[in-house]
Amino acid sequence: MRRPLCLAMLGFVAAVRVITWIKPLPVPSPPAEDGQRCTIVGTVRDIVSYTDMTTGRPIQLIFLKAAASDTSFDLQNNSEFSNSDHFNQPISNTTTEYKDAAQVICRLSSENLLPEVENRLPEIGSRVRYQGKARHFREATNPGEFDERAYYAGLGISMQLTDAVLTGKSRNYSAYRHFLYEIRCRAGDILETVFPEKEASVAKAMLLGEKKGIDRELKNLYQEAGIAHILAISGLHISLLGMGLYRLLTLRLSRKTASLLSSFVLISYLIMTGASPSAVRAVFMFFLYMLAGLAGRTYDMPTALSLAAVLLLVENPAYLSNSGFQLSFMAAAGAAVVIPRFSRMGSEAARAGGGIRYTPPAGPLKSKLIEGLRASFCISLTTLPVLLASFYEWNLFSVLLNVLVIPLMGVLMGGILLLVLTGGLFTGLGAAGGTLLSMMALPVRGIFLIYEKLCLLTQHLPGRWHAGMPHMWQILLFYAGLAVLLVLAEKIPKKAGWPLAAMLCLIFAVNPRGETQLTMLDVGQGDCIYIRTESGNHYLYDAGSTSRKDTGTWQVIPFLKYQGVDRLEAVFVSHWDEDHVNGLDAVFEWADQSGIPIGGLVLPGEGPDGDEPDKLLESARNHGIPVYRMIAGEELSDGNTSFLCLHPQKNGFYKDRNASSLVLKLCVKGDGEESAFTALLTGDVEAEGEMRMLEEEREAKNSMEAEHSMEAKNSREHLVGCDILKTAHHGSDTSTTEEFLDAAAPSLALISCGKNNSYGHPHKEVLQRFEERGIPVLITTDCGAVTIRAKNKKIKVQTFLDVD
């Protein structure tokens, strides 16, 4: 009855997925408005302290459960808690736990703390009162962007309290959980003493689950190489620690006692490290393994895995959308189902062929290498759709890299644990103890160095696959094909089975072309437009923001990954104001490291005298990107698509950068001479530039008519009847004049600007002009990224956020 039970539980998981699709789970409601000063009361669930590797500043986060706003506390008069005697008294009128309330993260303030409570942290399990400023988590407004609000909502966390000050706490707390917290703190201090800062952050993540302090560059390096899973506490870590402890205990104790003790230690370890979904899954499966051994029953890994999924989803159905949960369970499914089935591949076909063929035995090293490659391939195959849906790319060399990395994990984890235990014993030995620990740490540091070098090696190999976000039909078709292979594994010869499994991955390489896509990203107060032509080539027009920090890293690059960009044909820059270019350096750096060529950087050919984008030119030069200039009349063609420059004019005089903006007309040819799709990309060009373009248009038209040219009959004015207008200068009233708007007569106008920006963009006068002409307007502050798809003269408009 084991497998029917397994199927029933998998059915439950599928039902949860379908139900949450039909009716999304409710988002936890924050107990205070965004930006509001408030007081929050809750129970301390965890405390995380780390150093921001970018700024070097210490960060302390207090995770509160059953948190709610305390309206009975007067923010203007907190003298009740300024006395240390009152500070340790139970919180009056707020000792009741709000079971249905969401969790809150309190980010401690390093300034303006009350003198009596400065540098004091509450105990785990105590009821506390914090005063601070509410900050709601930011919702993703672009495809591929990390959705902070959805991520924390899935964990039941509703908001963050910034600059939080502790103003009261109870005497009661959980002595057991606080003891585990102190062990984690002590272990973290030892690792920080033994290792350099970067290596210490990785060691703490592997052993203690403290991932927030990981060096960002090293984390990205591991992720791009496909070995980031070693940084999260999961089945690999739990099996190494749990089975290692169990085998050690059985040397002196009975199997029953060893099983109970190792299970208790692992459960305590789970609580100490924060109980992530992947760690809960691994510990639960280990506990079932121990229980099966004691009961004399056979341990069935698929059943244990499906039971763990059911229990986690009963507790929190939102886990099903968590990428860590998905990767953990899919990797375990690969080990539990795919590896055993593929290991029997061709067995029935061999028997049907008659006779038994003699196969010379392979050496132990070769056998282990082949076995490791097969296991790594099976797990990579099973997790591939989740990896692509989470990170949009896959390193083909990760299969081989994991074969080299995972065998060293036992030595690595054992070494880190030994250093922590030894460091605890050597407390008080001073410099001599530190020297001995540093010598003991050399093998662990050597493994860290090997990992880093292997990851760097893969960066220079052509193995990174920029697949982009997979479609749902691709994921379903892939898993359907994998299921067929599993069912027929014994009947398929090995020589055919493994290639067939590898060919399944090509499903994600299918990318139907034939449509033009234009996406205006929501980068706040700035501009960034992405274009994909009918032939599948990628272009970028501006990338910058003055209202969002590192927009290239957090908005532009994730979007390019989401689109599966493997080459940028050109990056057009309208002008070099910060809100149009300050994200490009990050894009250039990412493209260089990822092996993504950039065909050229295209700048306006004329501009204010003595005004050159030195920083931008230097960045392009450092990354080997050629620089080109465009002036009015020049054109770049890509199949049926063309980019015609309308501005600036040659030898023109321009008072500032805005006036010399590079204005492009994107045109997709249809049947005959007619255009199937047109868009005007106007940068920050102002009224004078618009009038100059109109004058040039009239002069060219009059000239052709005077010559009775056939071109005059077949060519329409460049500014007449465009489908899409990128509104100049974020909707400023210094642009988009009535005459220019009447000439362009767009079917839709797009405006990119920041929410509540100090410039007042978009200006009411401009919006009124659009309204008077019946031209619909989409503004990124309201609808997020706007995507236009054009094919066969049919245009589809899609906004990332729902709008009325």
Side-chain angles (χ1 to χ4, degrees):
M1 292 297 293
R2 292 180 309 209
R3 293 303 164 83
L5 177 62
C6 177
L7 291 174
M9 288 185 288
L10 288 176
F12 172 82
V13 174
V16 172
R17 175 75 277 182
V18 172
I19 291 171
T20 53
W21 265 338
I22 297 173
K23 186 177 181 181
L25 294 168
V27 176
S29 178
E33 295 295 327
D34 192 25
Q36 175 186 348
R37 294 289 299 177
C38 61
T39 299
I40 299 296
V41 175
T43 302
V44 179
R45 180 178 65 84
D46 196 9
I47 302 174
V48 175
S49 303
Y50 65 97
T51 300
D52 189 316
M53 301 293 280
T54 304
T55 62
R57 295 176 58 187
I59 306 294
Q60 289 181 323
L61 303 177
I62 312 296
F63 289 77
L64 303 184
K65 64 179 182 179
S69 177
D70 180 18
T71 57
S72 66
F73 183 64
D74 184 1
L75 294 177
Q76 303 300 322
N77 181 15
N78 54 18
S79 59
E80 177 186 355
F81 294 96
S82 63
N83 183 281
S84 59
D85 293 333
H86 285 101
F87 177 79
N88 287 302
Q89 292 293 326
I91 301 174
S92 60
N93 301 324
T94 56
T95 54
T96 303
E97 291 201 11
Y98 301 86
K99 299 296 183 182
D100 296 328
Q103 299 180 53
V104 170
I105 300 176
C106 294
R107 189 183 182 98
L108 300 195
S109 170
S110 57
E111 301 175 353
N112 301 324
L113 293 176
L114 296 177
E116 292 79 5
V117 299
E118 186 173 4
N119 299 325
R120 294 182 64 174
L121 292 174
E123 293 82 10
I124 305 296
S126 61
R127 290 287 288 172
V128 295
R129 178 189 286 120
Y130 273 99
Q131 175 186 336
K133 184 178 180 181
R135 185 185 80 83
H136 292 183
F137 297 113
R138 191 173 174 278
E139 182 181 18
T141 58
N142 299 286
E145 183 181 358
F146 173 65
D147 196 329
E148 188 183 39
R149 182 184 298 178
Y151 172 79
Y152 283 108
L155 300 176
I157 300 174
S158 63
M159 74 172 201
Q160 186 178 85
L161 196 69
T162 61
D163 295 330
V165 178
L166 181 65
T167 58
K169 72 180 182 69
S170 66
R171 290 178 176 176
N172 299 326
Y173 64 93
S174 173
Y176 169 63
R177 292 188 62 195
H178 191 72
F179 172 70
L180 294 177
Y181 164 73
E182 290 179 333
I183 292 177
R184 190 180 76 194
C185 291
R186 176 58 183 152
D189 292 341
I190 293 171
L191 293 176
E192 289 178 352
T193 303
V194 171
F195 294 110
E197 190 175 36
K198 185 167 69 173
E199 294 173 356
S201 69
V202 177
K204 289 168 68 176
M206 288 181 172
L207 184 66
L208 306 176
E210 297 184 0
K211 294 187 292 183
K212 285 189 174 292
I214 301 177
D215 179 78
R216 184 185 298 176
E217 291 185 5
L218 194 60
K219 182 180 179 181
N220 290 338
L221 188 65
Y222 278 33
Q223 182 177 306
E224 291 168 358
I227 63 168
H229 59 89
I230 67 175
L231 299 175
I233 296 176
S234 59
L236 178 63
H237 303 69
I238 296 300
S239 60
L240 288 172
L241 294 174
M243 292 307 300
L245 177 62
Y246 173 74
R247 287 167 183 165
L248 186 64
L249 291 175
T250 52
L251 296 177
R252 292 286 183 182
L253 303 173
S254 65
R255 286 180 56 199
K256 180 179 180 180
T257 305
S259 298
L260 293 174
L261 280 177
S262 56
S263 297
F264 172 75
V265 170
L266 275 189
I267 291 173
S268 299
Y269 176 71
L270 176 68
I271 296 171
M272 182 184 76
T273 56
S276 66
S278 58
V280 172
R281 188 269 306 166
V283 170
F284 180 75
M285 293 180 69
F286 176 84
F287 177 75
L288 288 183
Y289 178 79
M290 293 286 104
L291 191 62
L294 292 177
R297 303 293 297 272
T298 303
Y299 173 73
D300 186 60
M301 190 172 176
T303 302
L305 179 64
S306 55
L307 181 58
V310 168
L311 293 178
L312 275 169
L313 293 178
V314 167
E315 188 231 340
N316 184 4
Y319 280 148
L320 204 52
S321 299
N322 184 286
S323 60
F325 176 93
Q326 295 170 358
L327 285 170
S328 176
F329 275 88
M330 293 311 297
V337 180
V338 181
I339 292 177
R341 290 296 298 171
F342 275 25
S343 65
R344 294 195 291 273
M345 187 178 289
S347 58
E348 188 174 323
R351 289 194 299 271
I356 299 175
R357 277 191 245 173
Y358 172 74
T359 304
L365 181 60
K366 183 179 179 181
S367 296
K368 287 188 176 182
L369 180 60
I370 293 173
E371 183 182 348
L373 279 171
R374 288 175 178 171
S376 180
F377 174 79
C378 289
I379 293 175
S380 296
L381 189 70
T382 312
T383 59
L384 179 60
V386 181
L387 282 169
L388 293 182
S390 301
F391 306 113
Y392 319 124
E393 59 186 9
W394 181 49
N395 193 327
L396 275 66
F397 284 101
S398 64
V399 176
L400 177 60
L401 201 59
N402 277 289
V403 176
L404 303 175
V405 165
I406 290 177
L408 294 174
M409 279 296 293
V411 180
L412 183 63
M413 291 295 292
I416 295 174
L417 183 60
L418 180 62
L419 285 169
V420 170
L421 295 175
T422 308
L425 295 175
F426 285 1
T427 302
L429 292 184
T435 302
L436 181 58
L437 284 175
S438 297
M439 293 178 62
M440 292 176 63
L442 289 177
V444 175
R445 295 188 63 186
I447 295 175
F448 280 144
L449 182 62
I450 291 172
Y451 283 2
E452 187 172 352
K453 295 299 182 183
L454 287 173
C455 292
L456 289 171
L457 178 63
T458 62
Q459 276 193 337
H460 300 91
L461 297 174
R464 193 176 301 180
W465 181 20
H466 307 281
M469 179 68 177
H471 299 284
M472 181 55 65
W473 68 264
Q474 290 175 310
I475 295 174
L476 295 176
L477 185 59
F478 175 88
Y479 279 126
L482 181 59
V484 171
L485 282 180
L486 293 176
V487 172
L488 302 177
E490 296 181 2
K491 299 179 181 180
I492 303 175
K494 287 185 178 180
K495 290 184 178 180
W498 293 102
L500 282 173
M503 288 177 64
L504 272 178
C505 303
L506 297 179
I507 290 173
F508 299 108
V510 177
N511 186 15
R513 297 177 180 177
E515 71 173 13
T516 300
Q517 176 183 333
L518 183 150
T519 299
M520 171 177 277
L521 274 67
D522 176 23
V523 291
Q525 188 64 22
D527 264 339
C528 182
I529 295 176
Y530 161 84
I531 300 143
R532 187 180 66 204
T533 64
E534 286 185 353
S535 56
N537 293 328
H538 310 274
Y539 296 83
L540 206 59
Y541 180 86
D542 287 345
S545 174
T546 52
S547 64
R548 294 189 183 178
K549 186 178 180 182
D550 297 332
T551 191
T553 301
W554 301 116
Q555 279 88 43
V556 183
I557 293 175
F559 176 82
L560 296 178
K561 288 183 177 181
Y562 181 93
Q563 293 294 331
V565 173
D566 54 5
R567 174 184 169 85
L568 276 170
E569 298 297 330
V571 175
F572 299 101
V573 170
S574 63
H575 61 298
W576 35 96
D577 281 351
E578 286 295 297
D579 60 334
H580 291 255
V581 300
N582 64 9
L584 286 178
D585 193 48
V587 172
F588 293 166
E589 183 71 25
W590 162 75
D592 197 6
Q593 292 181 355
S594 302
I596 296 174
I598 297 179
L601 176 66
V602 183
L603 304 176
E606 296 288 344
D609 292 338
D611 186 14
E612 285 292 321
D614 296 331
K615 184 178 178 181
L616 183 61
L617 292 172
E618 181 182 1
S619 179
R621 183 169 54 251
N622 292 339
H623 294 97
I625 302 171
V627 178
Y628 304 97
R629 306 274 183 165
M630 286 187 81
I631 58 173
E634 294 183 341
E635 187 175 24
L636 187 155
S637 296
D638 182 340
N640 290 336
T641 304
S642 64
F643 297 87
L644 175 65
C645 180
L646 305 182
H647 189 75
Q649 278 77 28
K650 187 177 182 180
N651 299 324
F653 173 77
Y654 301 101
K655 60 181 180 180
D656 57 29
R657 299 171 186 173
N658 289 349
S660 64
S661 288
L662 180 68
V663 178
L664 297 178
K665 178 184 180 182
L666 169 67
C667 181
V668 181
K669 294 179 182 177
D671 298 332
E673 296 295 333
E674 293 186 3
S675 298
F677 174 74
T678 56
L680 284 178
L681 311 179
T682 56
D684 278 0
V685 71
E686 296 184 336
E688 182 180 350
E690 293 176 349
M691 297 306 297
R692 182 58 183 157
M693 282 188 280
L694 290 173
E695 291 172 6
E696 289 285 325
E697 197 79 15
R698 295 190 193 101
E699 291 174 5
K701 181 182 177 181
N702 292 336
S703 175
M704 287 188 291
E705 287 179 348
E707 297 174 5
H708 302 286
S709 170
M710 289 299 294
E711 280 186 320
K713 181 179 179 181
N714 294 328
S715 68
R716 300 177 61 177
E717 294 94 331
H718 296 311
L719 299 179
V720 169
C722 69
D723 295 304
I724 305 297
L725 172 66
K726 180 271 170 189
T727 308
H729 206 178
H730 320 287
S732 168
D733 59 3
T734 60
S735 306
T736 320
T737 61
E738 293 189 0
E739 188 175 357
F740 180 82
L741 194 55
D742 288 336
S747 301
L748 175 68
L750 307 180
I751 298 178
S752 175
C753 61
K755 187 175 182 180
N756 300 323
N757 64 83
S758 59
Y759 306 99
H761 295 157
H763 289 160
K764 293 180 181 180
E765 296 87 342
V766 175
L767 295 178
Q768 186 175 354
R769 291 170 201 164
F770 285 125
E771 185 178 358
E772 290 172 352
R773 290 159 179 80
I775 301 171
V777 181
L778 291 177
I779 308 173
T780 55
T781 53
D782 300 327
C783 56
V786 183
T787 296
I788 315 293
R789 302 182 190 276
K791 185 176 182 180
N792 299 328
K793 298 185 180 181
K794 294 181 179 179
I795 299 176
K796 181 180 179 181
V797 180
Q798 180 181 4
T799 59
F800 189 79
L801 301 178
D802 293 331
V803 291
D804 297 333

